[in-house]
């Protein structure tokens, strides 16, 4: 996505469930069970409980494997593997579970289309404890020549159908300030393409293009579900063409000290395919900010050059928009050729200072009748990922 921006290093914001004193981006990511003592940080209760029960908590161990297709990952060597990528490589076919012990896993990981119905579990059941992170950007040079591009920058890539993740942080800690010579500043924490991909109590940390909720092809309408998750970033940090439901999620916009004026960035940049009747649905969430009031736009439509027939779709309903969102003009264009007014943007019963309707033509609203079709069930059909253990 063509969005050249070059800010200085940004302070990492706190996560949606627990407010803590701010650390630098890398300090925040590495303040996990393996490094907390070195940084002088107190261990979270979840970490202490996990330590008492072993690195894998209530989720078994190599000596007490829950199922034959459960593998245990621990950077300290107490599992089957010390890295997530090696554990994924050891799985073949469908139905594998990875239980990840607390730690920072600095690596890139890809789950290809053959490894379906996979589940990854953060053993401590606190997403701050298990962090999968790397620092490639779109403009980062590849060892064999060329650059990674937006897709290639992803720390984690999920192509397989039926993926579920619980209590894990997916992050990209590439910083523009460290690489002033690189103009391709997109740095994806995770790219998700599989159908029936579910994330419960996860965090997604980055700056530009943090969460790439996509599909594998234009004619494939991949369904994704994010519940009780936390996402932070600055430019288009939730983007792609998936049919995605974000339920009770917290989105946080980061501050920018390099820009003289707003907008600092954009929360959503959907690129929904024209034939797809269902794009992004945000329900019962919150959008907060550590930036000045009105510094951020709620969304802009992404109509990529590979699909100029796209009609981006976003519905934000029953959600609190804090003052960081520009209430007067919450939407803007990514390209003048595809004005946001021609896309499928709507709101319903939102609250907070960023949701005030001062210029009605800039805030398209659903009617009560239309809102009856803007639900998780309508978006996801016969797939009900909110049921069962979370």
């Amino acid at each position: 996505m063509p969005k050249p921006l070059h800010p200085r290093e940004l302070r990492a914001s706190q996560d949606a469930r627990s407010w803590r004193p701010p650390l630098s981006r890398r300090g925040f990511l590495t303040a996990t069970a393996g490094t907390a003592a070195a940084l002088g940080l107190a261990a979270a209760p979840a970490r202490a409980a996990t330590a008492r029960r072993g690195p894998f908590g209530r989720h078994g161990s190599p000596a007490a494997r829950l199922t034959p297709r459960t593998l245990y990952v621990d950077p300290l060597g107490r599992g089957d593997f010390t890295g997530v990528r090696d554990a994924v490589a050891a799985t073949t076919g469908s139905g594998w579970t990875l239980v990840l012990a607390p730690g920072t896993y600095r690596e890139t990981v890809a789950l290809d289309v053959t490894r379906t119905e996979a589940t990854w579990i953060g053993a401590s059941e606190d997403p701050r404890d298990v962090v999968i992170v790397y620092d490639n950007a779109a403009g980062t040079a590849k060892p064999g020549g060329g650059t990674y591009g937006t897709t290639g920058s992803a720390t984690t890539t999920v192509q397989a159908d039926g993926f579920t993740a619980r209590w894990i942080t997916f992050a990209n800690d590439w910083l523009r300030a460290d690489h002033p010579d690189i103009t391709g500043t997109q740095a994806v924490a995770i790219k998700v393409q599989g159908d029936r991909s579910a994330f419960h109590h996860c965090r997604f940390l980055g700056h530009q293009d943090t969460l790439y909720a996509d599909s594998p092809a234009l004619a494939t309408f991949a369904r994704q579900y994010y519940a009780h998750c936390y996402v932070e970033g600055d430019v288009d940090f939730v983007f792609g063409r998936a049919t995605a439901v974000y339920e009770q999620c917290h989105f946080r916009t980061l501050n920018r000290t390099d820009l003289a004026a707003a907008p600092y960035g954009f929360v959503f940049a959907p690129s929904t395919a024209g034939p797809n009747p269902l794009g992004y649905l945000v329900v019962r969430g919150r959008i907060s900010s550590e930036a000045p009031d009105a510094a951020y736009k709620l969304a802009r439509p992404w109509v990529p050059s590979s699909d100029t027939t796209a009609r981006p779709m976003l519905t934000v309903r029953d959600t609190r928009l804090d003052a960081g969102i520009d209430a007067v003009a919450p939407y803007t264009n990514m390209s003048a050729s595809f004005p946001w007014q021609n896309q499928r943007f709507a709101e319903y019963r939102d609250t907070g200072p960023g949701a005030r309707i001062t210029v009605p033509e800039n805030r398209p609203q659903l009617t009560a009748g239309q809102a009856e079709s803007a639900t998780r069930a309508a978006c996801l059909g016969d797939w009900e990922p909110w049921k069962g253990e979370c």
Side-chain angles (χ1 to χ4, degrees):
M1 298 168 65
K3 301 164 287 205
L5 293 165
H6 311 276
R8 290 168 24 190
E9 178 173 351
L10 301 174
R11 173 176 65 85
S13 66
Q14 296 97 338
D15 109 314
R17 297 193 299 136
S18 178
W19 300 100
R20 291 179 169 183
L23 298 168
S24 69
R25 164 70 61 190
R26 288 199 175 95
F28 187 51
L29 290 172
T30 58
T32 58
T35 59
L39 293 173
L41 300 176
R47 297 173 191 164
T50 301
R52 288 195 299 270
R53 294 181 295 181
F56 305 107
R58 65 184 179 94
H59 301 283
S61 69
R65 209 174 295 277
L66 294 187
T67 71
R69 290 196 167 223
T70 300
L71 296 177
Y72 296 88
V73 187
D74 175 32
L76 299 181
R78 296 166 292 181
D80 300 304
F81 298 92
T82 59
V84 181
R85 180 166 54 196
D86 289 344
V88 169
T91 65
T92 302
S94 182
W96 287 87
T97 296
L98 301 186
V99 180
L100 310 183
T104 297
Y105 299 87
R106 180 162 285 278
E107 56 184 324
T108 59
V109 184
L111 192 71
D112 67 35
V113 296
T114 68
R115 294 174 164 88
T116 58
E117 311 303 327
T119 299
W120 295 1
I121 299 172
S124 72
E125 303 184 13
D126 184 337
R128 295 168 297 183
D129 292 342
V130 176
V131 181
I132 304 173
V133 58
Y134 209 71
D135 61 348
N136 283 331
T140 300
K142 296 171 65 175
T147 57
Y148 283 100
T150 299
T151 290
S153 74
T155 298
T156 302
T157 302
V158 176
Q159 297 176 319
D161 291 344
F163 177 75
T164 299
R166 301 188 182 102
W167 306 297
I168 296 172
T169 292
F170 300 91
N172 189 317
D173 63 352
W174 187 88
L175 298 172
R176 301 177 183 107
D178 291 348
H179 306 276
D181 56 317
I182 292 180
T183 57
T185 58
Q186 302 89 342
V188 178
I190 187 169
K191 180 172 183 175
V192 186
Q193 295 177 289
D195 185 40
R196 295 179 292 106
S197 298
F199 296 82
H200 303 272
H201 304 284
C202 289
R203 298 192 308 163
F204 306 91
L205 308 182
H207 290 270
Q208 184 172 347
D209 291 6
T210 303
L211 172 54
Y212 196 168
D214 204 42
S215 72
L218 290 177
T220 302
F221 304 154
R223 295 165 296 172
Q224 299 173 19
Y225 179 69
Y226 301 81
H228 307 283
C229 290
Y230 173 82
V231 194
E232 72 174 27
D234 49 35
V235 179
D236 302 336
F237 62 94
V238 182
F239 74 112
R241 66 181 174 221
T243 294
V245 175
Y246 306 90
E247 184 168 29
Q248 296 189 59
C249 291
H250 182 176
F251 307 88
R252 187 158 177 86
T253 61
L254 299 173
N255 198 12
R256 302 282 302 273
T257 58
D258 61 309
L259 298 180
Y264 285 10
F266 320 88
V267 180
F268 301 99
S271 58
T272 320
N276 189 353
L278 301 165
Y280 285 180
L281 171 65
V282 179
V283 58
R284 293 189 293 157
R286 180 187 175 192
I287 301 174
S288 67
S289 181
E290 58 180 52
D293 291 357
Y296 274 83
K297 302 294 186 181
L298 181 60
R300 62 178 181 172
W302 177 30
V303 180
S305 58
S306 60
D307 180 22
T308 56
T309 65
R311 285 199 64 216
M313 182 177 187
L314 168 70
T315 300
V316 180
R317 62 170 299 172
D318 301 295
T319 291
R320 177 176 174 81
L321 311 183
D322 288 351
I325 297 299
D326 181 357
V328 175
Y331 306 104
T332 191
N333 299 333
M334 188 176 292
S335 167
S337 300
F338 304 101
W340 73 263
Q341 293 90 342
N342 293 348
Q343 312 312 321
R344 295 176 284 180
F345 287 174
E347 302 171 56
Y348 183 68
R349 293 195 313 203
D350 293 326
T351 60
R356 288 185 297 109
I357 301 175
T358 58
V359 182
E361 58 267 31
N362 289 345
R363 309 297 302 246
Q365 302 289 312
L366 297 180
T367 65
Q370 291 169 331
E372 292 178 359
S373 300
T375 65
R376 64 187 185 184
C379 288
L380 303 181
D382 59 357
W383 179 48
E384 299 177 320
W386 53 87
K387 294 185 177 180
E389 181 187 6
C390 293

